[in-house]
Amino acid sequence: MSELKIGVIGCGGIGAVHLKSWEQVEGARVVAVCDADAERAGATDAAAYVDFAAMLDGESLDAVDICTPPHLHAPIALAALERRIPVLCEKPLARRPAEATQIVRSAEAVGVLLMTAFCHRFHPPVEFVRSLIADGKLGRVLMFRNRFGTRFAGVEGRWFSNPEIAGGGALMDTSVHSVDLFRHLVGEVTAVSGATTTFHPEIRGVEDSAAMLLTTADGAIGVIEASWMTPWSANIVEIYGETGAAVIDYDTGVTRYRLQGDPAWTTADTGSGDRFVEELRHFAAVLRGESSPRVNGRDGLRAVEIIHQAYAAKIG
């Protein structure tokens, strides 16, 4: 098959990560980029645009990779899908369930690939733990805990804390990944509650710290924590089953597990793969017809729905 021609829209933080990652995807090349900042768009060897519609109409693209702030996800995705161009869209798929639903229905109506960029599904330690679960080595999963936290310096002056752009705060920005990890590793969410708070005196309208409680139909419990205000925070996923447990430590890079009968914890060799590169390689393989999508638009929609259920059920 000929080389895949990719257009990247949004060249900022996560866009820069994707641009670098695409360089490691065999058989694919970024031929066009779009960013509201003309200088940033022109910093690559690809054709540069400041208007996404002009790029979609001016280039013969096999797919677009949307890496803009969330308020632009729906208009860009809908424009691409209308032109029957496959879409990889960064998380959250949209700010609100109604927007996400519109994107998903558009993709399904025209039969065009829509993938939500939940990169943690492609993190080698997560893939390893999922295999432990699938092979029954942990037994029935009973409890899940995940914390992603940091001190997000300057967030009060960036779009992440603007509700009209981001659609929410730490829950929407960070815990949307956590919700997808719970669904990916444990199962579908049937009940949601949450608590949110804002410690930063200059942040208005969104939470900078939050916790969620999720449950499944068979009673598995998930605890999710996120904060932009904790400088020394664990970044960790813990899975506890009836016959085993596994812990992924994002800070140390160590994944360990302990199965029934084991005298001690075992450190797993999960390799050194990069989750962003692996995500894009998978997307390219799906575009070529070599693989079925491991994550889709409905996964993105469901995560946004669950985050909004947490907002509606929040304490405080």
Side-chain angles (χ1 to χ4, degrees):
M1 185 177 179
S2 59
E3 187 176 58
L4 293 170
K5 297 177 181 178
I6 307 298
V8 175
I9 304 177
C11 302
I14 193 61
V17 173
H18 279 223
L19 284 167
K20 185 175 180 60
S21 299
W22 275 115
E23 294 174 1
Q24 300 180 61
V25 180
E26 302 81 2
R29 180 167 61 93
V30 174
V31 299
V33 298
C34 178
D35 195 278
D37 184 330
E39 183 176 352
R40 190 158 59 188
T44 74
D45 294 331
Y49 294 83
V50 294
D51 180 270
F52 68 83
M55 188 188 87
L56 296 175
D57 290 333
E59 301 288 334
S60 178
L61 299 173
D62 293 302
V64 293
D65 181 0
I66 302 173
C67 298
T68 64
H71 71 304
L72 295 173
H73 288 180
I76 296 172
L78 292 170
L81 293 167
E82 182 180 304
R83 293 163 173 79
R84 296 182 177 272
I85 301 172
V87 170
L88 174 67
C89 185
E90 256 302 327
K91 60 78 193 170
L93 182 60
R95 297 170 298 174
R96 293 178 283 273
E99 288 179 337
T101 298
Q102 189 178 12
I103 297 170
V104 169
R105 288 179 176 172
S106 177
E108 292 176 349
V110 296
V112 172
L113 173 65
L114 169 65
M115 265 182 55
T116 310
F118 283 134
C119 61
H120 292 271
R121 290 197 182 208
F122 301 90
H123 190 42
V126 170
E127 293 183 305
F128 173 79
V129 170
R130 191 164 191 262
S131 72
L132 290 179
I133 296 168
D135 292 343
K137 293 182 178 180
L138 303 187
R140 182 165 67 101
V141 174
L142 306 178
M143 301 190 77
F144 166 103
R145 178 176 175 266
N146 167 228
R147 178 178 176 83
F148 288 141
T150 187
R151 172 63 63 84
F152 193 163
V155 66
E156 70 278 6
R158 300 186 61 185
W159 63 258
F160 296 90
S161 60
N162 183 329
E164 288 305 310
I165 295 176
L171 277 184
M172 185 63 78
D173 175 56
T174 304
S175 297
V176 71
H177 274 307
S178 307
V179 166
D180 186 67
L181 279 171
F182 181 86
R183 295 184 64 244
H184 185 55
L185 295 173
V186 184
E188 188 54 85
V189 176
T190 56
V192 184
S193 62
T196 66
T197 191
T198 305
F199 294 111
H200 198 298
E202 296 178 42
I203 292 179
R204 298 285 186 274
V206 301
E207 73 288 351
D208 61 31
S209 302
M212 298 174 66
L213 183 66
L214 311 178
T215 55
T216 64
D218 64 356
I221 297 171
V223 177
I224 290 171
E225 305 167 18
S227 181
W228 292 336
M229 294 295 291
T230 51
W232 298 283
S233 173
N235 291 279
I236 199 163
V237 174
E238 303 170 355
I239 301 285
Y240 300 99
E242 287 184 312
T243 59
V247 177
I248 302 168
D249 190 324
Y250 279 74
D251 295 320
T252 64
V254 173
T255 298
R256 57 197 182 101
Y257 64 95
R258 189 169 181 175
L259 309 182
Q260 186 167 293
D262 288 353
W265 289 84
T266 299
T267 298
D269 180 3
T270 60
S272 57
D274 181 284
R275 63 181 179 267
F276 295 104
V277 174
E278 295 306 319
E279 173 184 60
L280 299 185
R281 283 177 176 158
H282 174 69
F283 182 57
V286 176
L287 290 171
R288 296 190 194 99
E290 299 168 356
S291 180
S292 298
R294 289 162 51 186
V295 58
N296 56 39
R298 288 205 168 267
D299 292 313
L301 166 60
R302 188 71 187 112
V304 173
E305 289 176 336
I306 292 166
I307 294 293
H308 274 266
Q309 287 173 347
Y311 284 141
K314 70 181 182 179
I315 303 167

